[in-house]
Amino acid sequence: MQITFLFWNIRRNPIEAVVSELVQDHQVDIVILAESMINPVDLLSKLNDRSTEYHFSPQVGCLKIQLFSRFEAKFIEPIFEYGRMTVRRLNLPGLTEILICMVHMPSKRDWSAESQADECNRIAEQIRGLETEVGHSRTLLVGDFNMNPFDHGIVSARGFHAVMSRKIAQERQRTVQGLDYPFFYNPMWNFFGDTTPGMPGTFYFRNAEHRVYFWNILDQVLIRPDLLDSFDVNNLRVPDSVGDLSFLRNGLPDKDAISDHLPIIFRMDL
């Protein structure tokens, strides 16, 4: 069974109609929103105007992320939550169970790179502990990391240990100073630059300093090696429009009308 995911930081904008149209257009099964001030009842009304399939999965300890899905809450139950992360066990009848870890991490405006990396270390350790508890590492990690794929917390062994190469990720883990650290595969590296489909990032920022990347990929999905056979990078998208509506203004994310982030959509074959 193919499960389609949408993650989008919507910048507190009331765009439930846009989210709903994007969900319907891509037949999304699991909708993950960050920085959402949308009343879940309002979005459910939009999502279900043509059907009654979608459900809201209540927040327990993480108010940074809203989760909607085609599946009843009992099939996507939380097993761990704190302020900036929720971990759900997706356990659909007849399908392989997976863990979905969703994050919205502090921005560089509020935290130093060192503090961001320390938080990655803490979250990575928590994920490894949960994988031990549930007895598998069929895990995906998705969200607004407020870091690029090359930043320290994303790539370091004690952090998410996320690599750009699927082949390297298939090695499963790497040993550093006698300790084993599992890999994540980070397919978002494929979206940098002008030769990739769509926009060259998910978030645009420029200011008057010497080092500016302009386009950044802050919104990412990371895949554990045990799920690589279920994931095809060709089914990963960074949409910049839906129907006749563009998410851009003058070629950049329209932060006032839509969001300063572009969404990501991907599919898992479970």
Side-chain angles (χ1 to χ4, degrees), residues 5-7 29-34 36 40 43-44 47 54-59 62-73 75-78 81 86-90 100 102 142:
F5 296 78
L6 162 69
F7 173 79
D29 299 293
I30 295 177
V31 183
I32 307 161
L33 302 179
S36 173
L43 182 53
L44 283 175
L47 290 173
Y54 288 91
H55 308 266
F56 175 61
S57 184
Q59 297 143 300
C62 175
L63 301 181
K64 297 287 186 180
I65 294 169
Q66 289 182 340
L67 179 65
F68 302 82
S69 79
R70 293 184 191 269
F71 315 118
E72 295 179 33
F75 297 123
I76 191 168
E77 61 175 342
E81 286 199 350
T86 177
V87 182
R88 307 295 176 109
R89 187 200 308 251
L90 181 63
I100 309 170
M102 296 157 276
V142 61

Side-chain angles (χ1 to χ4, degrees), residues 4 22 31 37 78 85 114 136 145 150-151 178-179 182 220 235-236 267 269:
T4 301
L22 189 63
V31 183
M37 300 298 290
M85 179 173 77
E114 292 79 10
H136 67 78
F145 292 81
F150 49 76
D151 279 336
L179 296 177
Q220 303 171 50
N235 292 322
L236 175 61
R267 188 179 302 156
D269 190 352

Side-chain angles (χ1 to χ4, degrees), residues 39-51:
N39 185 325
V41 174
D42 294 337
L43 182 53
L44 283 175
S45 176
K46 293 289 186 183
L47 290 173
N48 290 325
D49 63 355
R50 295 178 232 173
S51 68

Side-chain angles (χ1 to χ4, degrees), residues 91-129:
N91 190 15
L92 298 171
L95 298 184
T96 301
E97 176 185 295
I98 68 171
L99 295 184
I100 309 170
C101 305
M102 296 157 276
V103 297
H104 181 206
M105 300 188 65
S107 74
K108 294 185 185 299
R109 290 173 298 189
D110 301 318
W111 281 31
S112 68
E114 292 79 10
S115 287
Q116 285 184 314
D118 286 343
E119 185 70 0
C120 291
N121 295 350
R122 189 176 81 85
I123 291 175
E125 184 177 10
Q126 182 69 55
I127 291 172
R128 293 192 295 268

Side-chain angles (χ1 to χ4, degrees), residues 190-201:
N190 292 284
F191 288 85
F192 276 122
D194 289 337
T195 62
T196 62
M199 306 309 293

Side-chain angles (χ1 to χ4, degrees), residues 143-242:
D144 176 3
F145 292 81
N146 271 307
M147 288 173 280
N148 275 299
F150 49 76
D151 279 336
H152 182 79
I154 304 293
V155 301
S156 72
R158 289 189 60 219
F160 297 132
H161 209 196
V163 295
M164 68 175 74
S165 164
R166 188 184 186 104
K167 183 176 181 180
I168 292 173
Q170 288 171 336
E171 297 175 12
R172 301 185 58 83
Q173 64 186 24
R174 181 168 65 104
T175 303
V176 181
Q177 294 296 300
L179 296 177
D180 294 332
Y181 296 94
F183 285 121
F184 274 109
Y185 169 54
N186 190 348
M188 302 306 299
W189 281 93
N190 292 284
F191 288 85
F192 276 122
D194 289 337
T195 62
T196 62
M199 306 309 293
T202 67
F203 181 86
Y204 185 89
F205 177 77
R206 68 181 295 168
N207 65 351
E209 62 176 301
H210 287 286
R211 188 180 69 177
V212 178
Y213 299 125
F214 300 96
W215 278 103
N216 302 266
I217 297 181
L218 307 185
D219 311 276
Q220 303 171 50
V221 57
L222 313 182
I223 312 292
R224 279 286 197 231
D226 284 352
L227 281 179
L228 285 178
D229 288 343
S230 302
F231 176 78
D232 184 350
V233 70
N234 294 310
N235 292 322
L236 175 61
R237 298 283 185 270
V238 180
D240 58 27
S241 65
V242 62

